[in-house]
Amino acid sequence: MKILVTGGAGYVGSHCVRALVAAGNDVCVLDNLSAGHAKAVDPKARLVVGDLVDRVLLDQLFSAVRFEAVLHFAAFIEVGQSVIDPLAFYDNNVGNSVRLLQTMQKHAVKRFVFSSTCATYGIPPKMPITEDFAQIPASPYARAKLAVEWALADSATAWGLGFTALRYFNAAGAAPDGTIGEDHDPETHLIPNVLKVALGQRECVKIFGTDYPTRDGTCVRDYVHVDDLAVAHLRAIETVSPGAARYYNAGTGRGATVREVVDVARRVTGHAIPIVEVERRAGDVPELYADSTKIRAELGWTPRYDKLDDIVGSAWNWHKNHPNGFDDRPRKA
Ligand code: UDP
């Protein structure tokens, strides 16, 4: 299949591009490299450095290649930043998605996979989360993701778009060969931050909140390996059909606490990884884990990484071999 991947130089996108290429697809990546890394893009894919804000570029791309499908990863991801500058998120995450969809409509491209998020559920009343839970997002980031889900649903009705929205839980880990992995700047995610301590780049891990109503007082999250997410995208794109709207939780169904993640990282790295317990981080929800029955049944998806040790182990393999990530731009202070 000829596939356009926006944000294919980013963390989840780049692992997905690799899986798409390995499965024999002809992949074009569109990425403005504001957060992505050219080095993360599979050399067998074509990289176009450009911005989704550029309608002329989009039109040229779709005129030059008859894309059969689009995978849309490109987006701002920092929840805290979305609270400070919401319009930047509505502009970049909603506006650019709309422009992309308008171009697809014009060129009659009707297969789409969208990177959505479990954050669209907000603070769910119980666990695990099924796809029919009410979506009451609690941040501008999550509201912008939900707005795109609505634009997709309306497009399915109005012009026959077929789409799958994958609501990611916590993407983690790295390609097992250690060649690509997670490299955000600034890094806010738990697993890379823990591993930076093992690397000696930070003195200790801050644990944000130890008084949550969970088994050890710290937040529970569903960590899903990035290559398993990539497989979910492959299955999604293979099965999407014009006019059909589909939504899946992309999580393992297993939750781990922050302390459990730190313990796993201690085992995997052999480093003591000191912790310091600090206040709760604004906006964190006590527990989030998926009921992934639907994606398993309908897409035949089974996460291969079912042990947190293996997920953290693959991340460690990347971080210890690439202590400065892709090392392709000056770090922010
Ligand atoms: N967390 C933490 N210390 C860190 C980073 C994260 O205690 O340095 C906690 C955070 O409060 C949350 C969990 O780890 O409960 C996962 O956070 P992350 O930012 O990785 O993902 P999120 O679930 O927020 O998308």
Side-chain angles (χ1 to χ4, degrees):
M1 237 191 277
K2 289 188 196 321
I3 302 178
L4 177 67
V5 180
T6 75
Y11 172 45
V12 184
S14 61
H15 287 78
C16 216
V17 165
R18 201 187 247 209
L20 289 167
V21 167
N25 295 289
D26 181 357
V27 178
C28 175
V29 169
L30 175 62
D31 199 300
N32 66 7
L33 300 182
S34 66
H37 308 273
K39 289 183 193 169
V41 178
D42 190 307
K44 294 203 191 82
R46 171 178 167 224
L47 171 62
V48 175
V49 180
D51 205 296
L52 285 166
V53 89
D54 187 346
R55 274 183 200 280
V56 175
L57 170 66
L58 279 177
D59 204 43
Q60 280 169 352
L61 268 179
F62 279 79
S63 298
V65 182
R66 277 200 68 78
F67 292 117
E68 291 153 274
V70 175
L71 276 72
H72 181 39
F73 296 91
F76 291 156
I77 61 161
E78 271 180 72
V79 178
Q81 197 54 36
S82 81
V83 177
I84 296 165
D85 192 1
L87 295 182
F89 277 66
Y90 285 101
D91 187 24
N92 190 64
N93 294 8
V94 183
N96 284 351
S97 300
V98 170
R99 260 182 293 282
L100 177 61
L101 288 166
Q102 284 172 324
T103 310
M104 288 177 63
Q105 181 181 12
K106 179 175 167 193
H107 292 267
V109 179
K110 295 190 175 172
R111 290 199 183 103
F112 194 81
V113 178
F114 178 55
S115 303
S116 190
T117 170
C118 65
T120 57
Y121 296 112
I123 306 175
K126 58 179 182 164
M127 290 294 131
I129 301 169
T130 52
E131 287 81 357
D132 55 2
F133 273 30
Q135 287 174 292
I136 311 170
S139 68
Y141 163 76
R143 281 190 279 277
K145 287 285 182 183
L146 182 56
V148 178
E149 283 197 8
W150 288 344
L152 293 171
D154 290 334
S155 293
T157 308
W159 54 275
L161 176 72
F163 74 89
T164 299
L166 292 174
R167 295 179 184 149
Y168 302 171
F169 283 69
N170 289 56
D177 66 3
T179 53
I180 56 173
E182 190 165 9
D183 181 6
H184 295 121
D185 185 23
E187 186 55 78
T188 59
H189 294 114
L190 178 64
I191 293 177
N193 281 350
V194 169
L195 296 177
K196 280 174 194 289
V197 179
L199 280 173
Q201 295 179 345
R202 294 191 185 177
E203 282 191 0
C204 58
V205 187
K206 285 186 185 157
I207 297 198
F208 298 137
T210 54
D211 58 349
Y212 286 100
T214 60
R215 53 186 174 264
D216 64 18
T218 65
C219 291
V220 171
R221 294 289 181 274
D222 184 337
Y223 297 92
V224 52
H225 195 278
V226 65
D227 276 345
D228 283 327
L229 280 182
V231 173
H233 286 79
L234 283 185
R235 298 264 188 285
I237 208 70
E238 284 160 5
T239 52
V240 85
S241 60
R246 302 207 288 185
Y247 307 87
Y248 295 110
N249 286 340
T252 65
R254 172 209 55 216
T257 69
V258 175
R259 290 192 204 279
E260 286 163 357
V261 170
V262 175
D263 282 341
V264 167
R266 286 177 177 143
R267 259 200 312 276
V268 165
T269 63
H271 190 283
I273 311 187
I275 57 164
V276 34
E277 298 179 1
V278 299
E279 289 300 294
R280 292 181 176 197
R281 185 172 71 177
D284 278 339
V285 176
E287 269 197 308
L288 288 172
Y289 57 92
D291 179 326
S292 50
T293 307
K294 191 175 174 218
I295 188 170
R296 288 171 191 262
E298 293 185 12
L299 296 190
W301 180 73
T302 310
R304 281 183 305 144
Y305 289 82
D306 57 357
K307 292 193 191 68
L308 193 53
D309 283 68
D310 295 337
I311 295 178
V312 175
S314 72
W316 178 233
N317 192 33
W318 154 255
H319 285 285
K320 74 172 183 256
N321 289 308
H322 301 269
N324 298 313
F326 290 99
D327 210 9
D328 54 354
R329 62 168 69 99
R331 300 271 133 181
K332 294 186 188 112

